[in-house]
């Protein structure tokens, strides 16, 4: 009988211990709800005129969008799934939509003249002519701009066959393109420019096919503090809607 009472007492103590453990897990463990992240957060650094802001937009459906913005506009972007598991935030960059880069088609010919001619037709992706697009030749240091028909023309001093010319095609809101030409050849070029978010620069960088995991160090009404082994600790501040 005494042995039975002892066994019952041990079982009761075990049950009490389990209850205490569960209470500790519920009230003291850092477990976060994914729904709390349904907001826009940012982390900004650098000086006012040359600062960078990393912006995360977390949505209820478990999808996030990330933009990195500088003084001249967006420098990189990403989209993917996120999940909050216990005390960690996992970002899967699997939904980023990639954009086509600007491209060109060229015809090349040779002659005995002491100069070369470069003729360009500059279009958008719908083959609509783009005017006022700057075309610059380096190291010749000559430039021109496309007219309303999207055409531009440069006459350059002929160089040695081994020499190269950097032809920069640039313009507001259109992504920059650099074409390398033989300095002894003439060219007819059709350039197709892709819309860019940054004035006078190439496309923002697309971030895709990677997974990052952060430990949630602190979660308040106004900010989230995250820790990553590679990037250290960052604080994301909630943005007003």
């Amino acid at each position: 009988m005494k042995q039975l009472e002892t066994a019952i007492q041990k079982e009761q103590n075990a049950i009490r211990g389990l209850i205490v453990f569960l209470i500790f897990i519920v009230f003291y463990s850092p477990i976060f709800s994914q729904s709390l992240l349904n907001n826009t957060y940012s982390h900004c650094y650098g000086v006012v005129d040359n600062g960078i802001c990393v912006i995360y937009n977390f949505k209820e459906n478990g999808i996030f969008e990330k933009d990195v913005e500088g003084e001249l506009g967006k420098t990189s972007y990403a989209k993917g799934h996120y999940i909050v598991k216990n005390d960690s935030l996992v970002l899967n960059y699997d939904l980023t939509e990639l954009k086509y880069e600007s491209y060109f088609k060229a015809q090349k010919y040779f002659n005995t003249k002491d100069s070369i001619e470069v003729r360009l037709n500059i279009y958008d992706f719908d083959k609509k002519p783009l005017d006022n697009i700057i075309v610059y030749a380096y190291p010749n240091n000559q430039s021109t701009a496309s007219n309303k028909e999207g055409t531009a023309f440069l006459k350059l001093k002929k160089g040695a066959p081994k020499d190269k010319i950097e032809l920069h095609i640039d313009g507001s809101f259109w992504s920059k393109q650099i074409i390398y030409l033989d300095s002894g050849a003439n060219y007819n070029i059709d350039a197709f420019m892709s819309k860019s978010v940054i004035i006078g620069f190439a496309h923002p960088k697309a971030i895709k096919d990677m997974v990052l995991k952060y430990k949630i160090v602190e979660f308040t009404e106004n900010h989230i503090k995250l820790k990553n082994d590679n990037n250290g600790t960052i604080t994301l501040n909630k943005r007003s809607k």
Side-chain angles (χ1 to χ4, degrees), residues 129-198:
L130 297 176
D131 66 328
N132 200 32
I133 301 295
I134 301 299
V135 180
Y136 175 78
Y138 176 85
N140 308 71
N141 295 326
Q142 291 191 37
S143 64
T144 186
S146 60
N147 59 23
K148 292 183 179 180
E149 286 72 42
T151 63
F153 174 80
L154 283 172
K155 187 173 182 178
L156 308 171
K157 183 178 180 180
K158 181 179 289 186
K162 65 177 182 177
D163 295 337
K164 297 292 181 181
I165 295 172
E166 284 187 14
L167 193 70
H168 293 246
I169 304 176
D170 204 348
S172 298
F173 301 106
W174 300 95
S175 63
K176 183 175 183 175
Q177 182 167 199
I178 300 177
I179 304 174
Y180 294 92
L181 309 178
D182 293 332
S183 64
N186 302 273
Y187 285 87
N188 296 324
I189 298 173
D190 290 336
F192 300 88
M193 307 296 287
S194 177
K195 201 73 175 283
S196 175
V197 180
I198 303 178

Side-chain angles (χ1 to χ4, degrees), residues 22 25 27 34 37 56 73-74 96 110 113 147 154 161 184-185 193 195 223 227 230:
L22 292 175
I25 290 294
F27 290 98
Q34 182 155 333
L37 276 179
Y56 293 88
K74 189 185 298 184
T96 305
F110 298 85
K113 296 179 180 180
N147 59 23
L154 283 172
M193 307 296 287
K195 201 73 175 283
H223 73 266
K227 185 176 182 180
N230 297 324

Side-chain angles (χ1 to χ4, degrees), residues 11 19 34 41 99 105 117 164-165 174 186 188 198 205 214 219 230:
E11 184 177 353
I19 292 174
Q34 182 155 333
Y41 296 85
K99 300 178 181 180
K105 298 188 296 184
E117 296 180 349
K164 297 292 181 181
I165 295 172
W174 300 95
N186 302 273
N188 296 324
I198 303 178
K205 294 180 180 178
Y214 299 88
F219 193 110
N230 297 324

Side-chain angles (χ1 to χ4, degrees), residues 77 96-104 123-126 173-177 191-197 201-206 208:
Y77 68 98
T96 305
E97 299 175 1
L98 304 181
K99 300 178 181 180
Y100 286 101
E101 297 290 331
S102 299
Y103 66 97
F104 69 94
Y123 308 102
D124 64 14
F125 278 3
D126 296 321
F173 301 106
W174 300 95
S175 63
K176 183 175 183 175
Q177 182 167 199
F192 300 88
M193 307 296 287
S194 177
K195 201 73 175 283
S196 175
V197 180
F201 288 83
H203 282 302
K205 294 180 180 178
K208 187 177 176 68

